[in-house]
């Protein structure tokens, strides 16, 4: 966008007249309130899922059965994944979208405000059901987040609650993504063409379509599980003529694009932050848009690289191997463009920039181990080992979670009207970055040496790396309490933030006062 004219938007100070009390939060249709609710819920679930990870790392601190029985350990690994993916990361990203998409495109609110409210409140309902399974006879789900039959069908009373919870969370995601797509396509300010949209909005437009496409696939798969269990069908029962491997095909047709649902918005966040603190425009904007679309398209044709060990025909293995490696091309375009954006820029290193740079480096590490996993002949060695655990945690923790943290630091002054404590923010960054590498990097070696994932005990040769990994896990977990304290401190007060907040920041959100008024753009700004 070459320049923007922000016409008078009434109500600059009408945040003083916002509704108050519990009913404001229960019945709100305001996109900023719902953004706050989504992000608060995501933070709460981050700590619940993190506590489960602490149980896992405490059990693995030493070889032998030390703290919990193996069945409960398996429940923790399963629930940790479900809570982190559907409870922490997706709601946090959706919260950022709720808050930022309307103000970045100059809209007064989301296109479907009441749907927005319902989409949020389905989330706590779904997670009450899911977490309640831990207290049911037979315990919670323990078959991994992939819910492979026939193992998942051996679950006790919790099985129908698990399926129902997945359905509710899926409905919430579809409602939220329809709303985001409708908002972006219909409510852009005059003059804001698609190719003038901020990259964060672009990544969410593509992510929205991805969610609408794949969530019903997951719903279909788990419904087939339900009918196998209670209505006498045999979709996945070999004894009745079904095929358990068919579930894997259906699940991963959802599951692989899901990975990109979690990472594409993170690309958008980093693409907003790096130009700001480099004081340069984003290098290759158009190619970043096309690369995002290419990654999304390729995500639909690579699902079987999760299944190299199930006995695919050779032609199938070759197709999925080369298709998966092709994803590295548009991803490489993005990494190159981020580096070119920083090249010879007037860089400064505030906390959001530090997290964004760490994202680029550590996500690249995760991407490279992904290329290794894409090789069908060697995947037989890596499959279901800790190498896979290290790979996807580098992508999703030091990738997506770091990008979310970068985004929170970047936009927090705009949300609260106060600057956060920069000194504490840098402490949070350094402790998180060092500990996350101590946590996950040794897991590459554990996996290469053959330690399987999802086991509560292991051979003595893996003891030292597991101990180091667990220490890193505890430090990373406790350091996130500092993140919460920094946010609380910023909400309660501090140095007043200017409207622009950051020197090089571009975009309509920075034309609003800090904090942004309750109703942002009652008169649409004109984009030139």
């Amino acid at each position: 966008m070459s320049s923007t004219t922000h016409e008078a938007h009434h109500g600059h100070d009408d945040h003083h007249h916002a509704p108050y009390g519990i009913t404001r939060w229960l019945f709100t249709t305001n996109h900023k309130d719902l953004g706050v609710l989504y992000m608060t819920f995501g933070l709460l679930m981050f700590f619940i899922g993190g506590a489960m990870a602490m149980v896992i790392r405490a059990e693995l601190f030493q070889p032998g059965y030390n703290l919990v029985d193996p069945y409960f350990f398996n429940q923790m690994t399963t629930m940790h994944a479900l809570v982190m993916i559907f409870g922490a990361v997706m709601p946090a990203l959706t919260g950022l979208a709720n808050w930022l998409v309307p103000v970045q495109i100059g809209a007064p609110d989301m296109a479907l405000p009441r749907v927005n409210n319902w989409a949020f409140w389905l989330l706590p309902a779904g997670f009450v059901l899911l977490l309640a399974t831990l207290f049911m006879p037979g315990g919670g789900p323990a078959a991994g987040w992939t819910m492979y039959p026939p193992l998942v069908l051996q679950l006790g009373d919790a099985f129908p609650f698990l399926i129902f919870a997945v359905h509710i969370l899926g409905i919430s995601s579809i409602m939220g993504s329809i709303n985001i797509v409708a908002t972006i396509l219909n409510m852009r300010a005059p003059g804001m063409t698609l190719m003038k949209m901020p990259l964060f909005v672009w990544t969410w437009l593509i992510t929205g379509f991805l969610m609408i496409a794949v969530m019903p696939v997951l719903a279909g798969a788990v419904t087939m599980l339900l009918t196998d269990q209670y209505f006498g069908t045999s979709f996945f029962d070999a004894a009745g003529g079904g095929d358990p491997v068919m579930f894997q095909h259906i699940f991963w047709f959802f599951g692989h694009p899901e990975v990109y649902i979690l990472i594409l918005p993170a690309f958008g966040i980093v693409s907003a932050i790096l130009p700001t603190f480099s004081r340069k425009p984003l290098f290759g904007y158009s190619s970043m848009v096309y690369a995002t679309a290419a990654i999304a398209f390729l995500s639909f044709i690579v699902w079987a690289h999760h299944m190299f060990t199930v006995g695919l025909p050779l032609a199938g293995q070759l197709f999925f191997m080369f298709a998966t490696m092709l994803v590295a091309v548009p991803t490489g375009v993005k990494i190159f463009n981020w580096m070119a954006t920083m090249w010879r820029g007037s860089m400064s290193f505030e906390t959001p920039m530090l997290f964004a740079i760490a994202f680029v480096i550590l996500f690249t590490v995760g991407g490279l181990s992904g290329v290794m996993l894409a090789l069908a002949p060697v995947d037989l060695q890596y499959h279901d080992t800790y190498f896979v655990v290290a790979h996807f945690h580098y992508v999703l923790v030091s990738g997506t979670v770091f990008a979310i943290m970068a985004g929170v630091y970047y936009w927090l002054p705009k949300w609260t009207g106060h600057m956060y404590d920069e000194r504490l923010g840098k402490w949070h960054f350094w402790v998180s970055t060092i500990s996350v590498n101590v946590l996950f990097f040794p897991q590459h070696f554990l996996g290469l040496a053959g330690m399987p994932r999802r086991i509560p005990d292991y051979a003595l040769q893996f003891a030292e790396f597991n101990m180091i990994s667990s220490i890193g896990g505890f430090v990373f977990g406790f350091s996130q309490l500092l993140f919460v304290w920094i946010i609380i401190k910023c909400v309660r007060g501090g140095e007043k933030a200017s409207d622009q907040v950051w020197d090089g920041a571009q975009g309509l959100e920075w034309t609003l006062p800090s904090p942004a008024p309750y109703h942002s753009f009652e008169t649409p700004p004109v984009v030139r």
Side-chain angles (χ1 to χ4, degrees):
M1 137 189 18
S2 56
S3 66
T4 61
T5 302
H6 178 210
E7 293 188 351
H9 45 82
H10 303 296
H12 272 191
D13 58 352
D14 65 354
H15 51 275
H16 299 300
H17 308 297
Y20 58 89
I22 187 71
T23 51
R24 166 179 174 178
W25 300 102
L26 282 175
F27 305 117
T28 183
T29 54
N30 182 279
H31 73 98
K32 295 193 194 72
D33 283 356
L34 283 158
V36 171
L37 285 173
Y38 266 112
M39 285 188 273
T40 307
F41 180 80
L43 189 62
L44 176 66
M45 299 306 281
F46 181 63
F47 278 94
I48 292 174
M52 292 170 177
M54 294 299 100
V55 173
I56 295 167
R57 286 318 317 174
E59 175 59 41
L60 295 173
F61 192 75
Q62 289 183 320
Y65 299 127
N66 301 306
L67 290 176
V68 295
D69 68 73
Y71 188 71
F72 186 72
F73 181 90
N74 285 342
Q75 291 177 45
M76 287 294 100
T77 57
T78 303
M79 293 293 270
H80 164 70
L82 290 169
V83 168
M84 282 301 192
I85 293 169
F86 296 108
V89 174
M90 284 176 72
L93 291 170
T94 310
L96 284 167
N98 256 286
W99 219 104
L100 292 167
V101 166
V103 295
Q104 287 195 335
I105 62 172
D109 207 311
M110 300 292 276
L112 309 165
R114 292 195 187 282
V115 171
N116 210 6
N117 178 282
W118 274 97
F120 171 75
W121 283 109
L122 282 173
L123 267 182
F127 274 96
V128 166
L129 276 181
L130 186 64
L131 295 173
T133 59
L134 289 170
F135 304 98
M136 292 176 180
W145 81 284
T146 51
M147 298 176 280
Y148 283 169
L151 189 56
V152 74
L153 297 174
Q154 296 168 20
L155 188 58
D157 294 351
F159 179 74
F161 290 88
L162 168 67
I163 303 300
F164 194 33
V166 170
H167 274 300
I168 291 176
L169 300 178
I171 293 168
S172 167
S173 296
I174 291 171
M175 290 167 75
S177 47
I178 287 174
N179 204 357
I180 289 169
V181 169
T183 304
I184 296 171
L185 292 183
N186 294 298
M187 298 183 69
R188 297 192 306 282
M192 181 172 279
T193 60
L194 286 175
M195 291 309 280
K196 285 184 180 174
M197 291 195 308
L199 208 70
F200 179 73
V201 179
W202 253 116
T203 54
W204 254 110
L205 179 63
I206 292 168
T207 303
F209 279 118
L210 273 181
M211 281 210 269
I212 294 167
V214 300
M215 283 297 169
V217 179
L218 175 67
V222 297
T223 305
M224 289 157 85
L225 283 177
L226 196 73
T227 59
D228 269 11
Q229 183 79 327
Y230 295 111
F231 298 98
T233 58
S234 300
F235 292 113
F236 310 123
D237 181 7
D243 182 4
V245 175
M246 184 172 71
F247 179 85
Q248 296 193 30
H249 281 290
I250 301 171
F251 178 85
W252 285 115
F253 188 79
F254 146 79
H256 197 75
E258 171 67 20
V259 176
Y260 295 98
I261 288 168
L262 300 174
I263 197 69
L264 290 184
F267 291 167
I269 296 168
V270 171
S271 300
I273 293 171
L274 290 178
T276 297
F277 295 99
S278 302
R279 283 138 187 107
K280 280 175 64 188
L282 182 68
F283 183 86
Y285 169 86
S286 304
S287 61
M288 292 293 257
V289 172
Y290 295 131
T292 308
I295 292 170
F297 171 74
L298 289 171
S299 74
F300 282 107
I301 57 168
V302 297
W303 76 91
H305 71 218
H306 297 270
M307 302 166 54
F308 284 144
T309 58
V310 302
L312 294 177
L314 181 61
Q317 292 194 33
L318 288 172
F319 171 79
F320 286 108
M321 181 176 80
F322 289 123
T324 304
M325 295 177 80
L326 209 55
V327 180
V329 176
T331 310
V333 169
K334 286 189 160 291
I335 293 168
F336 173 79
N337 284 1
W338 288 325
M339 292 170 66
T341 303
M342 289 185 278
W343 178 254
R344 294 188 172 175
S346 301
M347 292 170 67
S348 59
F349 298 95
E350 287 86 347
T351 309
M353 183 63 165
L354 291 174
F355 271 105
I357 293 173
F359 167 91
V360 175
I361 296 169
L362 299 177
F363 172 77
T364 305
V365 173
L368 290 174
S369 58
V371 175
M372 292 169 70
L373 285 163
L375 294 165
V378 290
D379 184 69
L380 299 174
Q381 167 77 16
Y382 306 142
H383 188 80
D384 263 348
T385 69
Y386 257 83
F387 190 84
V388 181
V389 179
H391 157 67
F392 66 72
H393 279 93
Y394 259 91
V395 172
L396 293 181
V397 180
S398 54
T400 304
V401 173
F402 268 34
I404 292 170
M405 287 173 180
V408 169
Y409 281 115
Y410 185 57
W411 283 294
L412 196 57
K414 179 57 65 182
W415 299 339
T416 63
H418 304 288
M419 296 303 291
Y420 61 86
D421 188 325
E422 187 65 46
R423 186 176 60 87
L424 289 181
K426 285 182 175 163
W427 268 102
H428 175 229
F429 166 75
W430 284 111
V431 176
S432 296
T433 304
I434 293 169
S435 59
V436 87
N437 283 290
V438 174
L439 167 59
F440 295 121
F441 203 74
Q443 294 179 4
H444 289 108
F445 305 119
L446 288 169
L448 290 172
M451 178 173 163
R453 64 198 279 209
R454 294 173 178 151
I455 51 145
D457 191 14
Y458 49 83
L460 283 175
Q461 60 174 324
F462 303 128
E464 288 183 359
F465 276 140
N466 266 302
M467 187 179 287
I468 293 169
S469 182
S470 292
I471 291 169
F474 298 139
V475 175
F476 180 74
F478 285 111
S479 67
Q480 302 321 309
L481 295 173
L482 185 57
F483 183 47
V484 176
W485 170 240
I486 293 168
I487 294 172
I488 292 172
K489 195 163 173 251
C490 184
V491 171
R492 290 172 64 185
E495 183 192 342
K496 186 86 179 89
S498 65
D499 295 354
Q500 178 66 21
V501 182
W502 310 109
D503 284 344
Q506 298 285 327
L508 289 176
E509 71 264 40
W510 308 109
T511 64
L512 292 170
S514 299
Y518 192 66
H519 299 291
S520 320
F521 291 104
E522 291 181 355
T523 305
V526 176
V527 179
R528 295 195 178 92

